[in-house]
Structures are given as C-alpha cells and as structure tokens.
Amino acid sequence: MDVIKTQQISSRPIEKVIVHPLVLLSIVDNYNRVAKDTRKRVNGVLLGSSFKGTVDVTNSYVPFEEDDKDPRIWFLDHNYHESMFSMFKRINAKEHVVGWYNTGPKLRENDLDIHGLFHDYVPTPVLVIIDVQPKELGIPAKAYYAVEEVKEGSSGWWIYVQPLVAGVRF
C-alpha cells in the first residue's frame, strides 16, 4: 500500500481537510467507550461539506464493526447508517457523507475495501485517521483519499492531505 504526499500530484481533487473539534471529541469519546485498552479500532462515517478542494468535516457517527481476530472482516450496518444519515439530514440539510474515519493508528490493507464502499455516497471520499493516544503535540489526525490505479501488485494508492482542526492553531 503506497502513500503519496499531495505535493507530488499536479491535479488533486482534495487539497485540504478541515476537522471540527466536536468531531475529534466525539470519536475519542466513542473509542473510550468501545475500544479502550484493546487493540480494536473504531470506524465511522464523516459528515460535512466539500467545496473547491476543501472538505469540511462537521459531524460523525458509527455504523461499523470490525472482527477482533481478523481485521479483514468488517461489517457496515446499512440500515443504521441510512437511519442516522436521515436524522442528521433533518437537522442540517447541507451535510452529506464526505468519507469515513478510523482510530488507526495506521492504514490497514482492508481500508481500500472499506473506502470503496464510500464511493456510493461521494465521488472522492476522505479517510481521516484519528490518533486517540497521541505521543506528540500537534494535530492528532491524518487525512487521505484513494486513487484507483493498478500498479505492480497494488490496486490503489493513498494520497495524504494535511488535515487542519477548525479554529485551532498549533
């Protein structure tokens, strides 16, 4: 699995990912309730908006489960996802699915499979990996989008995008 910095690509659909602090808090809270002191990671849906290469992440929820023993096995509860999205849409009609997140701390092989599912909801979904146990100061997140390209044994590339936290300066 290859990762490319955005500076290495001339035309890129996503140039900036802004994550609002409430989203970070929500993800860390969910992680602490569900997966603290385990090797399990938490996956969820990101809501927000995108305009001219900037993805603005304003909300999230969790319709995912991954198998504890085999991370290649995962489950998205489509009914729960559709129900939650419908409720969020009533509150803020401008929010739509912009991608998904996990609590990493790194990319996994099955992330491209999960990412592919989100192409049903948005043309270029983002993956934001939130570090729920950061070891250094800074933004506890990494953002990526995938490029479909078959190349010597790999079927996709991850493009790294520098994430920003709305209203926070480091």
Side-chain angles (χ1 to χ4, degrees):
M1 205 171 356
D2 296 313
V3 175
I4 300 173
K5 304 274 185 193
T6 52
Q7 294 87 347
Q8 296 171 312
I9 304 237
S10 57
S11 67
R12 52 192 185 265
I14 299 172
E15 296 180 7
K16 190 181 342 176
V17 176
I18 300 170
V19 181
H20 288 251
L22 183 60
V23 175
L24 292 174
L25 256 118
S26 175
I27 293 168
V28 171
D29 176 58
N30 190 18
Y31 174 83
N32 284 330
R33 286 185 284 116
V34 174
K36 189 175 182 176
D37 298 326
T38 69
R39 294 178 53 124
K40 188 176 178 178
R41 69 179 186 170
V42 176
N43 299 295
V45 175
L46 295 173
L47 299 177
S49 61
S50 56
F51 183 70
K52 291 188 177 182
T54 299
V55 176
D56 197 19
V57 180
T58 54
N59 230 322
S60 66
Y61 57 90
V62 183
F64 274 102
E65 280 293 322
E66 272 186 323
D67 186 39
D68 293 338
K69 296 178 181 125
D70 188 355
R72 294 173 300 176
I73 299 172
W74 53 275
F75 171 73
L76 172 67
D77 186 340
H78 289 276
N79 292 332
Y80 179 78
H81 166 60
E82 294 297 331
S83 172
M84 288 297 288
F85 182 62
S86 174
M87 285 190 280
F88 276 104
K89 205 68 168 149
R90 285 185 213 144
I91 295 166
N92 187 350
K94 293 182 181 178
E95 277 185 341
H96 61 272
V97 174
V98 293
W100 66 290
Y101 73 85
N102 71 49
T103 56
K106 297 177 185 171
L107 289 165
R108 291 187 184 169
E109 290 297 323
N110 71 329
D111 287 346
L112 276 174
D113 296 332
I114 297 171
H115 200 74
L117 178 73
F118 282 90
H119 283 281
D120 292 344
Y121 300 100
V122 60
T124 309
V126 296
L127 163 59
V128 177
I129 298 178
I130 306 295
D131 187 355
V132 293
Q133 299 170 337
K135 296 183 180 25
E136 56 190 51
L137 273 168
I139 298 173
K142 293 179 182 157
Y144 303 91
Y145 66 93
V147 174
E148 292 292 324
E149 185 175 314
V150 178
K151 201 174 190 188
E152 297 178 29
S154 70
S155 60
W157 296 57
W158 288 108
I159 308 299
Y160 176 79
V161 181
Q162 179 64 47
L164 304 169
V165 177
V168 177
R169 293 183 188 255
F170 285 93

